[in-house]
């Protein structure tokens, strides 16, 4: 009987293959441009992957409004139920002067719930960032519109003593992810115009003229996939089988390991791969008779919401 390694490879999501010994670095590269939200009670609520923090282009054309996640500086986020999503609204006035701003944002109400920033009665989700000096807040509330999918919030501020010609942050707000986002869904927050009442994100100049700001982007939110924690390699004796406990190989803050669904295959070799359930889920890997050499295992795990990692 001889012993030999079975090298395990992991598939970086939607990108390609990477060897497990270099899995973390390769996965970070594959997820460039994404950030993972950690639970809201964590000291640092965000963790940018792959060193991408600050790489998202915040350049706004004159007359535009952009939405950004302020820490990782990303516009596409993974989040679990209970995580808090922070958003800033930026604008570029170009050469125009403004003494007032109005923000009108839409969001998926099924998955996202605005955080109330004031102790006064009623939802007041926005906080001014002071771009307009000496501003008075006129509107800071939710809006009831006949939409079964989207919720809406509105903010307006004005200054009678100051104007601004600048690029900067008008206001910020936060949302709690109220329930898991299914694997085939993506929630968003957007500066989305209200065609029913003709309310749009805009600025007002000292003459009282209101000018709409063009939305640059949305903030997209997806459910965070499970995290695989695979060994660099496995080995077993010729004509023997391999039994591997699976519960310790996956971490998901929303779901215990026993509810995970697994698909495991051997690439290019006719192994038999069985998954058994009892006190824990196990992989039983049976090679062909007299087989020896190296092979590649592909692990795919999915949570009950259909979000998978491989």
């Amino acid at each position: 009987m001889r012993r030999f390694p079975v090298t395990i490879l992991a598939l970086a999501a939607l990108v390609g293959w990477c060897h497990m010994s270099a899995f973390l670095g390769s996965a970070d590269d594959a997820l460039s441009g994404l950030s993972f939200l950690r639970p809201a009670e964590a000291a640092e609520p965000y963790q940018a992957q792959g060193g991408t923090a600050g790489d998202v282009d915040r350049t706004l054309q004159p007359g535009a409004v952009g939405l950004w996640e302020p820490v990782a500086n990303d516009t596409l986020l993974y989040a679990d139920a209970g995580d808090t999503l922070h958003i800033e609204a930026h604008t570029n006035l170009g050469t125009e002067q403004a003494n007032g701003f109005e923000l009108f944002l839409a969001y998926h109400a099924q998955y996202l719930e605005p955080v109330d920033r004031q102790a006064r009665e009623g939802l007041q989700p926005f906080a001014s960032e002071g771009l307009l000096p000496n501003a008075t807040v006129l509107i800071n509330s939710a809006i009831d519109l006949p939409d079964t999918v989207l919720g809406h919030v509105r903010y307006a501020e004005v200054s009678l003593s100051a104007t601004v010609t600048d690029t900067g942050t008008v206001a910020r707000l936060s949302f709690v992810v109220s329930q898991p986002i299914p694997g085939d869904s993506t929630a968003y927050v957007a500066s989305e115009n209200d065609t029913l009442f003709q309310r749009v994100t805009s600025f007002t100049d000292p003459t009282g003229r209101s000018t709409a700001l063009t939305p640059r982007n949305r903030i997209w939110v997806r459910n965070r996939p499970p995290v695989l924690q695979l060994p660099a390699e496995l080995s077993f004796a010729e004509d023997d089988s391999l039994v591997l406990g699976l519960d310790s190989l996956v971490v998901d803050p929303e779901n215990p390991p026993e509810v995970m669904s697994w698909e495991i295959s051997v690439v290019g070799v006719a192994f038999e791969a069985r998954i058994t359930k009892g006190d824990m889920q196990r992989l039983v890997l049976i090679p062909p008779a007299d087989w020896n050499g190296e092979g590649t295992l592909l692990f795919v795990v999915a949570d009950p919401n259909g979000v998978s990692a491989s």
Side-chain angles (χ1 to χ4, degrees):
M1 296 289 186
R2 290 176 293 171
R3 297 185 65 83
F4 59 90
V6 177
T7 304
I8 297 177
L9 298 181
L11 186 63
L14 304 181
V15 176
W17 295 94
C18 58
H19 192 282
M20 270 303 299
S21 61
F23 175 74
L24 291 178
S26 299
D28 287 347
D29 294 338
L31 293 174
S32 178
L34 302 183
S35 67
F36 286 77
L37 293 171
R38 289 188 283 182
E41 63 270 14
E44 298 177 358
Y46 298 97
Q47 179 181 359
Q49 299 296 307
T52 62
D55 290 347
V56 174
D57 185 9
R58 287 197 181 201
T59 303
L60 290 174
Q61 296 297 320
V65 60
L67 303 178
W68 316 109
E69 186 282 318
V71 178
N73 196 23
D74 289 321
T75 58
L76 174 60
L77 305 168
Y78 283 139
D80 293 319
D83 285 348
T84 302
L85 167 66
H86 303 292
I87 295 176
E88 294 178 347
H90 299 257
T91 186
N92 181 359
L93 296 173
T95 60
E96 299 285 346
Q97 284 190 326
N99 69 342
F101 292 100
E102 182 173 18
L103 303 178
F104 181 84
L105 302 185
Y107 61 93
H108 275 101
Q110 181 178 358
Y111 306 116
L112 303 175
E113 181 179 337
V115 175
D116 193 354
R117 292 187 174 273
Q118 305 291 337
R120 296 189 294 271
E121 183 179 356
L123 174 66
Q124 299 180 68
F126 290 90
S128 175
E129 284 291 275
L131 178 63
L132 182 60
N134 305 318
T136 298
V137 176
L138 301 179
I139 301 171
N140 189 358
S141 65
I143 304 175
D144 291 328
L145 292 178
D147 194 321
T148 58
V149 176
L150 297 177
H152 302 84
V153 288
R154 186 183 181 193
Y155 176 78
E157 65 179 23
V158 67
S159 175
L160 300 179
S161 61
T163 60
V164 63
T165 301
D166 204 353
T167 298
T169 307
V170 179
R172 67 183 186 276
L173 73 165
S174 301
F175 294 88
V176 172
V177 182
S178 57
Q179 63 175 309
I181 301 171
D184 58 353
S185 300
T186 304
Y188 71 80
V189 179
S191 176
E192 195 164 279
N193 295 340
D194 166 23
T195 57
L196 182 63
F197 295 101
Q198 301 301 313
R199 284 183 287 233
V200 300
T201 295
S202 59
F203 71 92
T204 304
D205 66 22
T207 68
R209 177 176 60 96
S210 180
T211 303
L213 291 163
T214 303
R216 181 189 187 275
N217 67 286
R218 294 176 173 182
I219 298 289
W220 298 95
V221 189
R222 297 175 183 168
N223 188 273
R224 177 163 45 188
V227 177
L228 282 166
Q229 299 179 334
L230 302 178
E233 67 177 26
L234 300 169
S235 62
F236 55 95
E238 183 178 339
D239 295 326
D240 200 355
S241 59
L242 173 69
V243 179
L244 180 66
L246 298 176
D247 289 0
S248 62
L249 303 184
V250 62
V251 176
D252 189 325
E254 292 179 325
N255 301 285
E258 59 267 21
V259 302
M260 297 294 176
S261 300
W262 292 85
E263 294 182 9
I264 302 172
S265 58
V266 181
V267 180
V269 183
F271 275 64
E272 181 181 355
R274 302 175 185 171
I275 297 175
T276 65
K277 294 187 177 182
D279 58 333
M280 66 181 299
Q281 296 193 78
R282 291 180 172 86
L283 166 67
V284 180
L285 194 64
I286 304 173
D290 300 324
W291 185 86
N292 64 82
E294 291 188 354
T296 300
L297 284 172
L298 174 62
F299 290 76
V300 181
V301 62
D303 67 18
N305 298 306
V307 184
S308 64
S310 59

